Amino acid sequence: MVGGGLRPLTPAPRLAAAGRRGPGDTSRHRPPPGSRRHFVRAAAGAERVSEPRGGSWALPCAAMPSSPLRVAVVCSSNQNRSMEAHNILSKRGFSVRSFGTGTHVKLPGPAPDKPNVYDFKTTYDQMYNDLLRKDKELYTQNGILHMLDRNKRIKPRPERFQNCKDVFDLILTCEERVYDQVVEDLNSREQETCQPVHVINVDIQDNHEEATLGAFLICELCQCIQHTEDMENEIDELLQEFEEKSGRTFLHTVCFY
């Protein structure tokens, strides 16, 4: 376990190599060698705020634009990574929902090959009480009960992305496998409005500490996208600046409703 946090539910995939894109990905042009880029500037009057152990900073969203981005955050089971980002984004004023893409919800069990498996219709409170009954000490120690207690304060139960027909401006996924599942689902739907939705992958390991750091990175990215004057034309450049700043590779594609 990392820092006494959540045991990884599945091995986190390696960050995609530069240039790797998922199904339907759009190309992105990189600047000529030797050119210099500058990280996006804060909105006028915005002050920098600290972030836990990452050396990064996020733009505060106390004064959000009148029409905040409609954001979705997606991981596998809608438990740890997507819910941590959901929690932080909602506190920053974003219109946000969170989802999983798995067939079932899986939480670590007493052994790696014995996970706790639930239906997406199971509430966080039901999961909490079930694990409390099974082994209070184990699930307190590994942070699962604390995580479920946070989750049930945000919404009643996990939600599956494939069952949601709401429209979003921005969908952020937490690992490449989930990114591919989201893109595949969006591309399988019949196009109705042709409204674009940007799908971006931010690779985050599935443990409590990395979920927190990843959530702040997602929040920072959303804040910067929110303050762009022309999202469609500026997002590629912004993502490249984030790649250089964070040392991560971001997958990006545009799908249409």
Side-chain angles (χ1 to χ4, degrees):
M1 293 205 290
V2 180
L6 179 64
R7 299 170 184 165
L9 305 181
T10 57
R14 295 180 60 188
L15 292 177
R20 163 70 168 90
R21 298 290 179 263
D25 285 354
T26 56
S27 61
R28 295 208 275 120
H29 300 285
R30 296 193 175 276
S35 63
R36 300 186 64 183
R37 310 185 72 86
H38 300 280
F39 185 70
V40 65
R41 293 180 180 177
E47 60 183 76
R48 298 185 179 186
V49 296
S50 60
E51 174 185 329
R53 297 172 56 186
S56 181
W57 54 270
L59 301 178
C61 278
M64 289 288 293
S66 57
S67 299
L69 286 172
R70 294 167 295 182
V71 179
V73 188
V74 191
C75 64
S76 182
S77 290
N78 198 197
Q79 291 285 352
N80 182 35
R81 296 166 292 180
S82 62
M83 287 299 284
E84 181 68 24
H86 185 155
N87 187 38
I88 291 176
L89 286 170
S90 64
K91 291 180 178 179
R92 299 298 192 273
F94 282 92
S95 172
V96 58
R97 292 183 63 185
S98 59
F99 303 93
T101 56
T103 305
H104 295 88
V105 173
K106 294 183 179 180
L107 291 173
D113 60 343
K114 296 180 180 180
N116 292 285
V117 181
Y118 302 98
D119 188 274
F120 269 88
K121 295 179 181 179
T122 309
T123 67
Y124 292 121
D125 191 54
Q126 289 171 329
M127 297 178 197
Y128 181 94
N129 290 328
D130 182 52
L131 298 183
L132 189 67
R133 175 183 56 81
K134 287 180 177 178
D135 194 330
K136 178 180 179 180
E137 182 178 356
L138 171 63
Y139 297 113
T140 298
Q141 183 179 13
N142 66 13
I144 301 296
L145 291 179
H146 176 76
M147 179 188 72
L148 289 171
D149 184 62
R150 174 207 60 196
N151 292 352
K152 66 182 181 179
R153 297 173 189 273
I154 297 172
K155 63 180 186 177
R157 59 174 55 82
E159 298 173 89
R160 193 165 185 261
F161 178 79
Q162 292 89 333
N163 297 335
C164 176
K165 303 307 176 184
D166 289 353
V167 174
F168 300 98
D169 302 305
L170 181 64
I171 300 174
L172 294 126
T173 62
C174 300
E175 63 178 272
E176 186 174 348
R177 176 173 58 89
V178 173
Y179 171 86
D180 289 340
Q181 290 170 332
V182 167
V183 172
E184 180 181 7
D185 178 72
L186 290 172
N187 287 339
S188 71
R189 302 181 186 184
E190 183 177 352
Q191 288 189 3
E192 297 178 352
T193 65
C194 290
Q195 177 180 323
V197 54
H198 291 266
V199 186
I200 299 172
N201 184 69
V202 182
D203 208 61
I204 303 170
Q205 292 184 11
D206 195 4
N207 61 61
H208 295 308
E209 183 177 7
E210 290 300 317
T212 299
L213 296 175
F216 274 91
L217 179 62
I218 286 175
C219 185
E220 182 178 355
L221 177 60
C222 288
Q223 289 170 334
C224 290
I225 292 174
Q226 179 72 73
H227 287 95
T228 58
E229 294 183 0
D230 187 345
M231 174 179 170
E232 300 301 324
N233 290 325
E234 296 180 38
I235 192 169
D236 284 343
E237 181 177 354
L238 180 60
L239 287 174
Q240 183 163 329
E241 291 167 344
F242 262 79
E243 286 183 343
E244 295 174 357
K245 178 176 181 290
S246 67
R248 301 174 185 239
T249 298
F250 292 77
L251 303 181
H252 172 226
T253 190
V254 180
C255 297
F256 298 87
Y257 286 108

